[in-house]
Amino acid sequence: MERVVLFGPPGVGKGTQGGRLAAALGVPAISTGDLFRAHVRDKTELGNRLSALIASGDYVPDSVTNTMLAERLAEPDVARGFLLDGYPRTADQVAELDRLLALAGTSLDAVVLLAAPDEVLEERLLKRAADQGRSDDTPEVIRHRLALYHRETAPLVALYDAADLVLRVDGTGTPDEVHERLLAVIGLRERTPSS
């Protein structure tokens, strides 16, 4: 597996698991959220436009996200593969990813869906807000982000189910427990040294 999308609601652990899974696969982890936050942190022109959207929990417009992702996928370290976290989030983004991969003469290998109940996700996000001081993790914004995910992004799983790409993983438990489940579903457990 070289081209993987890590799917799931906010707070399910995509950031934590994405980095670990990408390392196990030997490919870069690409998080659109990290790319957005870097622009905001660096106070770029794009970052100034994005800061209000991120603070409110709204999605960044597809045109901006698609352009940023296309630029990242054109970088040399992605030639052998990637793990995407936070993309695609809309049907238009699914179509754009398909187009970019077709231009490169390749396709996705898997869509890994991490799942957990909303109450677990809310608890995790509130803890993250306290631990990391994330201004985009207030109770109101968390509820908005979860509702947006269920309305806009969760239905995309059906598109990937139709292509027989979805691997489902229980995202509850400790990070190590979830990581072991991910390795098992991807088929990497035997190649990954135990810690």
Side-chain angles (χ1 to χ4, degrees):
M1 300 235 174
E2 297 174 340
R3 290 166 190 84
V4 176
V5 167
L6 187 57
F7 229 63
V12 79
K14 295 186 304 294
T16 300
Q17 298 303 332
R20 293 177 76 176
L21 184 56
L25 292 168
V27 298
I30 301 171
S31 163
T32 51
D34 288 348
L35 294 174
F36 297 148
R37 284 185 287 276
H39 277 277
V40 171
R41 181 190 63 238
D42 297 342
K43 299 187 184 331
T44 66
E45 182 183 332
L46 176 60
N48 292 334
R49 292 190 328 214
L50 294 177
S51 59
L53 288 171
I54 292 171
S56 68
D58 286 327
Y59 285 171
V60 173
D62 287 344
S63 59
V64 174
T65 307
N66 290 342
T67 299
M68 193 179 300
L69 184 80
E71 290 170 358
R72 181 64 182 93
L73 290 181
E75 293 180 18
D77 66 329
V78 180
R80 209 184 78 63
F82 54 77
L83 181 137
L84 292 179
D85 160 12
Y87 188 96
R89 286 187 173 175
T90 68
D92 285 345
Q93 289 179 10
V94 169
E96 178 63 8
L97 180 58
D98 288 347
R99 187 187 73 79
L100 291 170
L101 293 175
L103 284 173
T106 190
S107 60
L108 286 177
D109 294 310
V111 174
V112 178
L113 175 62
L114 281 177
D118 279 4
E119 55 271 15
V120 171
L121 302 172
E122 288 182 37
E123 184 179 312
R124 284 182 184 174
L125 289 168
L126 288 170
K127 183 177 183 331
R128 181 174 79 181
D131 293 347
Q132 299 177 11
R134 292 262 303 255
S135 63
D136 57 336
D137 283 339
T138 66
E140 297 76 22
V141 169
I142 288 168
R143 283 190 290 277
H144 175 69
R145 288 172 61 208
L146 287 171
L148 192 58
Y149 170 82
H150 290 303
R151 185 175 67 247
E152 301 284 336
T153 304
L156 302 180
V157 174
L159 298 174
Y160 290 119
D161 261 332
D164 199 27
L165 288 173
V166 180
L167 303 171
R168 288 171 167 76
V169 177
D170 178 2
T172 60
T174 68
D176 287 340
E177 290 168 343
V178 175
H179 183 63
E180 282 300 311
R181 289 183 208 126
L182 279 168
L183 294 180
V185 79
I186 293 285
L188 290 177
R189 182 177 281 154
E190 64 279 0
R191 293 193 318 193
T192 304
S194 56
S195 49

